[in-house]
Amino acid sequence: MEKPKSSNCLYLIHSLMEDFSDRERRIADYILANPAKAVHPSIEELSESIGVSVSTLVRFVKKLGFKGYQQFRISLASEALAPEAKIYETIVDRNDDPVQIAFSSAQKALELTSSMIDRSALAALASRIIEAGCVHLFGLGGSAIVAKDAVHKLIRTGIHCVNAEDYHLQLMIASQLGEKDTAIVISHTGVNKDTLRIAEIAKNAGAFLCVITTYPRSPLARMSDRLFISASSGSSLISEAFSARIAQLAMIDSLYIAIMEQLGECGIQKVEKMRAAIAKRRM
């Protein structure tokens, strides 16, 4: 079959209707009736909504000529969503206030994320990091920004932090972890193959795996020993995790505060040492 173009997904579904099995036809009918609604869910969520297995949905997508579900979603989004919805997490009209749009999305994501954070789980993670004396941060793409911010925050506590931007270095670091190590893997979608590989290697090495992601049913979430959900006010496909990233940054701040509370006076001394070192570089 010819490689699908970015704007012919719905046409392909129509044209192949006679070739689909009964279950595949159920998928086709659902998507044709709800194209915009079918863009946003993860593969697990969509399969559950339609009433088919994930494997059936994967076969359906491949029968259309797509390499995988993500490529299918991108093609579907190009047809199903209005152009204004592709700019940001909500439909953006030319007369809208950009500041209001951005801050409103961020506020919604922060409120949703705050309501979902298990405070006792956060305190337990803080204790584990303190006891181990080291935390390893992993993230690719936009999530790498969150991982780097985590290092910037957590290094103030005096706890040893390990982070690398290069993917191969992240794989190397993950391979050297052990049972006493804590790995925090950050990913908005939780389906990136490279991120999944890092998490898999870290977990196989025996490390305690903490995952921060938006989708609780994603493959990455299912691998976690400790899971924290960062809400997003929009689609994982179109929003590019704008508001989810802000929620993740706030979650890292929460972890920093939890660690500092448990460290007590020792933590304050570490922060003062850091501030004194930086102060010497100021005019």
Side-chain angles (χ1 to χ4, degrees):
M1 180 181 294
E2 182 183 355
K3 184 178 179 181
K5 299 176 183 179
S6 61
S7 60
N8 66 358
C9 181
L10 296 178
Y11 168 77
L12 282 169
I13 295 175
H14 276 293
S15 64
L16 293 174
M17 189 65 76
E18 296 300 320
D19 297 328
F20 292 144
S21 66
D22 290 342
R23 289 195 180 102
E24 291 169 345
R25 190 167 297 176
R26 187 190 307 174
I27 298 172
D29 290 339
Y30 181 92
I31 293 173
L32 292 176
N34 310 277
K37 188 177 179 181
V39 169
H40 302 286
S42 66
I43 189 170
E44 292 84 3
E45 292 168 338
L46 183 59
S47 61
E48 184 175 324
S49 297
I50 299 173
V52 298
S53 66
V54 171
S55 60
T56 300
L57 187 51
V58 169
R59 285 196 300 272
F60 172 82
V61 166
K62 290 188 175 180
K63 184 172 285 189
L64 293 177
F66 296 98
K67 292 181 179 179
Y69 182 66
Q70 192 71 358
Q71 186 188 44
F72 162 75
R73 291 173 76 193
I74 293 172
S75 178
L76 181 61
S78 69
E79 293 181 82
L81 299 182
E84 295 82 2
K86 301 175 186 179
I87 298 174
Y88 202 63
E89 301 175 346
T90 58
I91 294 178
V92 178
D93 293 328
R94 292 185 179 182
N95 296 327
D96 286 344
D97 177 12
V99 175
Q100 177 61 30
I101 292 171
F103 277 75
S104 177
S105 295
Q107 183 178 7
K108 183 186 297 184
L110 287 169
E111 290 175 350
L112 287 172
T113 301
S114 175
S115 68
M116 292 189 293
I117 294 177
D118 184 334
R119 271 58 172 179
S120 61
L122 186 71
L125 177 61
S127 297
R128 181 177 181 88
I129 290 173
I130 292 171
E131 292 170 3
C134 183
V135 57
H136 302 260
L137 287 308
F138 300 96
L140 299 172
S143 297
I145 298 172
V146 182
K148 180 169 285 189
D149 180 75
V151 172
H152 186 261
K153 295 287 173 28
L154 297 179
I155 202 168
R156 302 162 187 260
T157 66
I159 292 171
H160 184 45
C161 300
V162 177
N163 170 250
E165 293 187 23
D166 182 80
Y167 173 58
H168 288 171
L169 281 177
Q170 292 193 44
L171 289 176
M172 292 167 66
I173 292 169
S175 71
Q176 299 303 310
L177 302 185
E179 293 181 358
K180 293 184 179 181
D181 292 306
T182 297
I184 299 179
V185 179
I186 304 159
S187 172
H188 173 49
T189 63
V191 297
N192 180 279
K193 291 182 180 179
D194 291 337
T195 300
L196 290 173
R197 183 57 179 158
I198 292 171
E200 181 184 18
I201 290 175
K203 194 169 180 66
N204 289 341
F208 181 87
L209 182 63
C210 173
V211 168
I212 299 177
T213 185
T214 303
Y215 296 94
R217 297 181 183 178
S218 64
L220 180 62
R222 293 198 297 268
M223 294 173 61
S224 67
D225 296 307
R226 183 80 66 191
L227 176 63
F228 293 98
I229 301 301
S230 54
S232 170
S233 62
S235 163
S236 64
L237 223 84
I238 302 303
S239 70
E240 297 173 304
F242 289 125
S243 64
R245 185 195 68 242
I246 294 172
Q248 290 170 354
L249 291 171
M251 194 178 295
I252 294 298
D253 285 1
S254 301
L255 178 60
Y256 163 73
I257 294 171
I259 290 174
M260 287 297 294
E261 287 180 342
Q262 293 187 29
L263 287 174
E265 184 60 33
C266 177
I268 293 175
Q269 292 175 4
K270 296 292 186 181
V271 171
E272 290 302 323
K273 286 177 62 177
M274 176 273 300
R275 288 174 176 167
I278 294 176
K280 294 178 181 178
R281 305 305 305 163
R282 293 173 178 163
M283 297 294 292

